[in-house]
Amino acid sequence: MQIVRPFPQTASLKETMTPSDSLSIRYVEAVTFLRDLDDDWARAIDTIGPCLHDPKAAREPYEALVRAIAYQQLTARAGDAIISRLKSVYPESPFPTPDNLLAAEFDDLRVCGFSGTKIATIKASPKAQKPAWFHDATQRS
């Protein structure tokens, strides 16, 4: 059985890519690494193709968690509006810190558009997620 190779081989992957290729250049190293692990990985990538998922810009885990809670069961537009109102309450930082949200009043978060359940979840999250070594990444030292 001959394997169909719809994607460029490891050695020439970077050289054969153009800016319009669906495989982003940032995935080249990952594809190369996985193909070089063993024949099974190489065969899987050749058969299925490389990962084409294009993640959003990296966010701090806490911000990603609050955003996920905000957008849950809402349209993107509604979630965007809630996050925008939340961020406007804390203009001194790019995104509210866990301490900001722990100290926030219920009614202030309700005005942003959060439901009572989402507020409870957001307020519980820093308590569960904030280890002793936590530092505020939004404040530069």
Side-chain angles (χ1 to χ4, degrees):
M1 178 173 130
Q2 184 178 11
I3 295 176
V4 177
R5 298 189 180 273
F7 298 97
Q9 295 299 303
T10 305
S12 62
L13 193 56
K14 283 184 182 178
E15 292 81 19
T16 61
M17 290 180 63
T18 65
S20 62
D21 284 341
S22 58
L23 177 61
S24 173
I25 194 73
R26 67 176 169 245
Y27 294 112
V28 170
E29 288 180 10
V31 170
T32 302
F33 172 81
L34 290 172
R35 270 203 178 119
D36 290 346
L37 279 177
D38 61 38
D39 291 339
D40 291 333
W41 273 107
R43 196 169 26 260
I45 292 168
D46 290 340
T47 302
I48 300 165
C51 173
L52 300 177
H53 174 70
D54 190 17
K56 300 265 186 203
R59 292 192 170 108
E60 291 294 321
Y62 182 74
E63 178 180 348
L65 177 63
V66 172
R67 285 176 177 273
I69 293 166
Y71 284 83
Q72 187 178 23
Q73 299 179 334
L74 296 175
T75 65
R77 190 174 190 172
D80 289 344
I82 291 171
I83 292 297
S84 179
R85 288 190 292 263
L86 176 66
K87 289 170 63 176
S88 72
V89 174
Y90 302 96
E92 66 280 355
S93 65
F95 196 83
T97 65
D99 288 333
N100 290 148
L101 295 180
L102 276 173
E105 295 294 325
F106 180 89
D107 290 339
D108 293 337
L109 295 175
R110 271 304 273 144
V111 168
C112 292
F114 289 104
S115 68
T117 303
K118 288 183 180 185
I119 292 169
T121 303
I122 288 169
K123 286 187 148 297
S125 299
K127 294 175 188 172
Q129 298 295 323
K130 189 175 178 183
W133 51 263
F134 177 83
H135 71 281
D136 183 355
T138 62
Q139 293 182 1
R140 308 288 183 240
S141 37

